[in-house]
Amino acid sequence: MILILDFGSQYTQLIARKIRAKSVYSEIAPFNISPEQIRAYDNLEGIVLSGGPSSVYAENAPRVGKEVYDHGVPVLGICYGLQLTAFLLGGNVKPGVAREYGKADIQIKSTGGLLEEVENGSTVWMSHGDLVESLPAEFEVLASTENCKYTAVRHTSRPIYGIQFHPEVHHSAYGNQVLHNFLFHVCKAKPAWKMSEQVEMMCGHIREQAAGRDVVCAVSGGVDSTVMAVLCRKALGEHLKCVFVDNGVLRHHEAQQVMDNFEQLGVPVKLVDAAQAFLSELDGVDDPEKKRKIIGRKFIEILMAEIGANDMLAQGTLYPDVIESVSTKGPSATIKTHHNRVKEVLELIEQGRVVEPLKELFKDEVRELGAALGIPHDTLWRHPFPGPGLAIRVIGPVNDESLRILRQADVIVVEEIRAAGLYDKIWQLFAVLLPVKSVGVMGDERSYENVVAVRAVDSVDGMTADWSKIPYSVLGRISNRIINETRGVNRVVYDISSKPPSTIEWE
Ligand code: XMP
C-alpha cells in the first residue's frame, strides 16, 4: 500500500484514487500521524507527501519530521511535499515572484526512474506560489520548466523524489505515467488490490464507528445512497434502519419502484409517506429557491425524527461532495456548503454520530464498489435525480394537475430513450413543464394547452454539460407520444442549451 500524507491539497484524494485505479491500495492519513503509526502499516510500499496551500516557512505550516524518509520505502513529495523535502533536508524555498497556475512544458534532463517514457516538452500542470531555490546536498535535477528550475528532482543515493507539478490532474499529459513509474519502477509495488477487498475493510470501519448502536439512513433510490445502504446492511445487519421519504414530487410510481428495488437487494426499508405534508407547504410557491428550502427543511425534519437519541446517521456523501466544503483529514480551506452538511447534520458530526463510508470515493469508484456488492447495472447507472424532485421541473407553482402532466411526459421520454438504446449514453434526461400555453389544432378543434420541454445532456460530473444530440427520429417519437398520450399538452420543444451558460435543470 501507498500512504499519502495530507498537507491540505484539494487534489490529495485524486492522488489516492489514481493510485487505486492502478490496483495498488492507497490510503490518506493526516500529515501529523506519528512515525509509530506509520510503522504499524502492513505492506507499506511507498509514501507520498501531498501538496498543500501553506508556505513551509509560515508559522502554522504543517510539517513532518525527517524520520518520514527513514521508513525504508521510497518517498515522493508533490508540490508542497517537494518544498517540504527541500526545507527538511537542508535546501531553500523562496516565495515565488509570481504565482504559477496552469500549463508548462517539461524539459527532461534525466528520467531517474520517475520520468521514464514521459515525453520531453509535454505539458505538466503547475499550481504553486513558493518554489525550491536551492536543493539539499546529494539531490539532482531530473527536469525543469521555463519558470521552475526544480520541476522534478531526486536524491542521488536514497529513494527520495520530488516534483513541483501535479501528476494526478488530467492536464498533466504524462501524469499517469509518472505515478505508474513511482509505483512500479521506484516502489516496486504489486498491482494486487481489488475493490472487492475494500468491502470487508469498509464493513469493519462501519462496525467500529457504530460500536453496537443502531444506524439510521435515508435512501433515495439513487446510486450513492443505494450503495451506502447495501454496504451498511452487510456491515450492520438488523442494526441498519433505512427510511425512504415520499415527498410528493417523485416520478411516476417511483416510491413503489424504489421499495421493490430494495426488497430485491435484501435491504428492509421503511416508507414514510409525507407527500401531503410536502405538497401543502409547497402550495402556491413559485420561487425555485423557496421550493428547495421547503423540501430540504421538511426532509431533514422527517429524517431527524427517525434518529433515536443514541442512534447514528449514515450518509452516502462522496468525496466530491465534501471536497469543496471541508477537507476530511487535512487543513484545506472551506469553500462551499453541501446539503449533507446542514446544521442538524453538523451537530451529529460533532457528536461523532455520522457514518459516511463513501466519503473517500469518487462516483466511478462507488459504482465499482456497488458492482462488487452485487447491485444490478441499471441501479448503478441510474440518472441523477435532484432532491427537490419534480417541484423544480414544474416551472411555477406545483399542483396535482401539473404533476400529473409532468409525470406522464417524463415516463414517455425515458421509455423512448431506453427503447432507442440511448439511456446509458445520456448523463441526465427529463421533461420540464413550462408555464406557457400555446395554440394548436387537434382534430378540427383549436387547442390552447401546455408546453413540455425535453432536456437531455451529456456530461461527466454535472459541472459542465452539453445538450445530447438525440436523433431526430427519436425526438419525433417522443414528441408524438407526449402530445397524443398526455392530456393537456399540445407542444413539445427540445432544449439545445449547454452548461454553462445554462444549467441542467430549468429552476
Ligand atoms: P444544475 O441544474 O445546477 O444541476 O446544472 C447539476 C446537477 O445537480 C442536480 N441538482 C440538484 N440536486 N438538489 C439536488 O439534490 C438540488 O437542489 C439540485 N439542483 C440541481 C441536477 O439534477 C443535476 O444533476
Side-chain angles (χ1 to χ4, degrees), residues 289 292 338-339 384-389 392-393 427-428 430 455 461-463 465 499 502-507:
E289 287 316 304
R292 279 192 170 81
H338 185 265
H339 59 256
F385 183 63
I392 55 167
R393 292 180 181 170
W427 196 78
Q428 197 172 8
F430 51 90
R455 179 71 161 147
D461 51 14
M463 303 294 285
K499 172 185 179 176
S502 303
T503 49
I504 296 175
E505 302 289 347
W506 278 47
E507 283 200 331

Side-chain angles (χ1 to χ4, degrees), residues 72-120:
V73 294
V75 178
L76 172 66
I78 296 179
C79 193
Y80 178 84
L82 159 69
Q83 293 157 17
L84 187 66
T85 298
F87 170 80
L88 289 172
L89 299 180
N92 248 312
V93 177
K94 64 166 185 187
V97 193
R99 291 179 160 263
E100 187 182 18
Y101 292 107
K103 295 173 182 178
D105 299 335
I106 190 167
Q107 297 305 322
I108 300 173
K109 297 181 172 56
S110 156
T111 65
L114 190 67
L115 303 179
E116 306 266 327
E117 292 181 47
V118 174
E119 192 180 314
N120 198 26

